[in-house]
């Protein structure tokens, strides 16, 4: 695997390649990232990944300075997963001056759920993703469903800006107890790690109730929030939404093939904020 640090070196390395697949990351990799590399390899070659911790998507109170940096281990994992080229720019390479031009995603999609609790987050995500796509020039880019809202925001940016890239979604990779793999799981102590699967358990209960015909969806959401609070979590939201645009479903209590659903949740356990989601099959 070749590692390049500059945009010029990256473009030179990719000159003449017709079909490139791309997996952007912030490093501190786990099996979920590697599953995205596998999808990328199936879609196009060479497989390119990036490691860049993007300051623009962190608020001043978040963990930019302490975010785990495990570059040597990440390189070993990427190479073992079939990555052929790693773009690992220093911050001044992507942001040689203050990034005054930014991508402002639509408020209806970006200012709800995660955007409500992390103002400006999706502006930072879209800005760096657009920049990375412009640098790499892939025909396919792979993003995980674990960050469901991010996936939809990026897809809509690609659609509205007519970018020549297909966004492929990778399924969430989970531990044996159901916890979604995340780079921030390493912040959990042993007791918190044992408790962490409670979030997906609540989402699964909601999904099962919806499929069984439960009609009062707001009550299901409220009950999940109360359960998490009783268990010592600080929840931000548990919400049943449309898969297409994360809007509130028009007809609570009914599942229609025209309106596939997803239940999403975010809550803090100790000092670690976890997010998860579960698509709800239609036609039940």
């Amino acid at each position: 695997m070749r590692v390049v640090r500059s945009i010029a070196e990256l473009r030179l390395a990719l000159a003449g390649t017709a079909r490139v697949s791309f997996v952007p990351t912030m490093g501190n990799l786990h099996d979920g990232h590697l599953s995205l590399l596998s999808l990328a390899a199936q879609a196009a070659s060479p497989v390119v990944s990036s490691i860049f911790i993007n300051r623009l998507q962190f608020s001043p109170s978040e963990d930019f300075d302490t975010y785990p940096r495990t570059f040597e281990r990440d390189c070993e994992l990427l190479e073992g997963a079939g990555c052929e080229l790693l773009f690992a720019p220093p911050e001044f390479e992507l942001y040689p001056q203050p990034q005054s031009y930014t991508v402002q995603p639509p408020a209806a999609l970006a200012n709800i759920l995660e955007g409500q609790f992390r103002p400006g987050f999706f502006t930072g995500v879209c800005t760096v993703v657009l920049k990375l796509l412009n640098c790499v020039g892939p025909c396919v880019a792979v993003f995980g469903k674990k960050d469901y809202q991010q996936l939809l925001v990026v897809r809509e940016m690609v659609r509205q800006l007519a970018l020549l890239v297909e966004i492929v979604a990778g399924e969430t990779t989970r531990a044996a107890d159901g916890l979604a793999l995340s780079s921030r799981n390493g912040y959990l102590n042993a007791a918190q790690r044992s408790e962490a699967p409670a979030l997906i358990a609540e989402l699964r209960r909601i999904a099962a109730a919806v499929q069984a015909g439960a009609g009062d969806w707001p009550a299901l959401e409220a009950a999940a929030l109360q359960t998490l609070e009783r268990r010592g979590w600080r929840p931000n939201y548990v919400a049943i939404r449309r898969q297409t645009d994360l809007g509130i479903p028009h007809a609570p209590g009914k599942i229609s093939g025209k309106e596939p659903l997803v239940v999403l949740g975010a809550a803090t356990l100790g000092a670690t904020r976890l997010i998860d989601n579960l698509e709800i099959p239609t036609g039940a």
Side-chain angles (χ1 to χ4, degrees):
M1 181 183 73
R2 181 177 175 186
V3 179
V4 297
R5 299 285 188 173
S6 72
I7 296 171
E9 190 180 7
L10 171 70
R11 289 174 171 162
L12 183 62
L14 292 175
T17 54
R19 292 182 56 80
V20 174
S21 61
F22 179 47
V23 180
T25 84
M26 293 206 302
N28 193 26
L29 304 182
H30 50 68
D31 284 347
H33 294 106
L34 303 186
S35 73
L36 303 184
L37 267 290
S38 179
L39 276 180
Q42 296 171 37
S45 181
V47 177
V48 179
S49 188
S50 64
I51 293 176
F52 181 72
I53 303 175
N54 177 40
R55 185 186 299 271
L56 293 187
Q57 67 194 65
F58 290 78
S59 75
S61 63
E62 291 181 330
D63 58 340
F64 175 81
D65 290 328
T66 59
Y67 192 86
R69 289 155 170 85
T70 55
F71 186 74
E72 291 185 3
R73 174 181 173 274
D74 292 343
C75 286
E76 293 176 1
L77 292 173
L78 287 171
E79 187 166 18
C83 180
E84 296 163 77
L85 183 65
L86 172 62
F87 181 43
E91 189 170 31
F92 65 78
E93 179 68 17
L94 274 193
Y95 301 133
Q97 58 194 42
Q99 188 69 33
S100 54
Y101 283 83
T102 58
V103 179
Q104 301 295 326
L109 180 57
N111 290 358
I112 60 172
L113 302 174
E114 283 300 284
Q116 178 182 349
F117 291 93
R118 302 182 70 186
F121 172 71
F122 288 115
T123 295
V125 167
C126 286
T127 301
V128 77
V129 168
L130 179 59
K131 193 167 234 186
L132 288 169
L133 292 176
N134 283 334
C135 292
V136 177
C139 64
V140 171
V142 185
F143 290 79
K145 286 187 180 181
K146 187 330 192 118
D147 297 292
Y148 205 88
Q149 189 173 4
Q150 174 178 279
L151 171 65
L152 267 60
V153 168
V154 169
R155 273 185 167 161
E156 184 63 10
M157 177 183 73
V158 166
R159 187 188 71 81
Q160 289 200 19
L161 297 181
L163 303 182
L164 292 174
V165 60
E166 176 189 359
I167 302 300
V168 171
E171 297 295 333
T172 301
T173 302
R174 299 186 180 278
D177 59 4
L179 179 65
L181 299 191
S182 168
S183 297
R184 289 187 168 94
N185 289 351
Y187 295 155
L188 301 169
N189 63 31
Q192 292 163 349
R193 176 60 187 83
S194 296
E195 170 62 22
L199 178 58
I200 187 59
E202 289 305 307
L203 302 188
R204 285 172 172 165
R205 272 192 276 272
I206 289 176
V210 170
Q211 288 187 276
D216 192 348
W217 293 354
L220 293 176
E221 296 168 346
L225 291 171
Q226 291 169 5
T227 297
L228 291 170
E229 287 176 347
R230 284 197 301 269
R231 298 180 69 102
W233 296 66
R234 300 188 304 282
N236 290 148
Y237 60 82
V238 173
I240 301 167
R241 296 299 176 97
R242 295 191 296 262
Q243 289 182 24
T244 52
D245 60 3
L246 299 184
I248 297 173
H250 294 306
K254 297 180 181 179
I255 300 178
S256 165
K258 297 180 180 178
E259 196 168 62
L261 304 173
V262 59
V263 57
L264 309 99
T268 299
L269 182 61
T272 305
R273 187 173 183 274
L274 301 177
I275 65 171
D276 207 340
N277 66 82
L278 190 65
E279 292 180 330
I280 304 175
T282 59

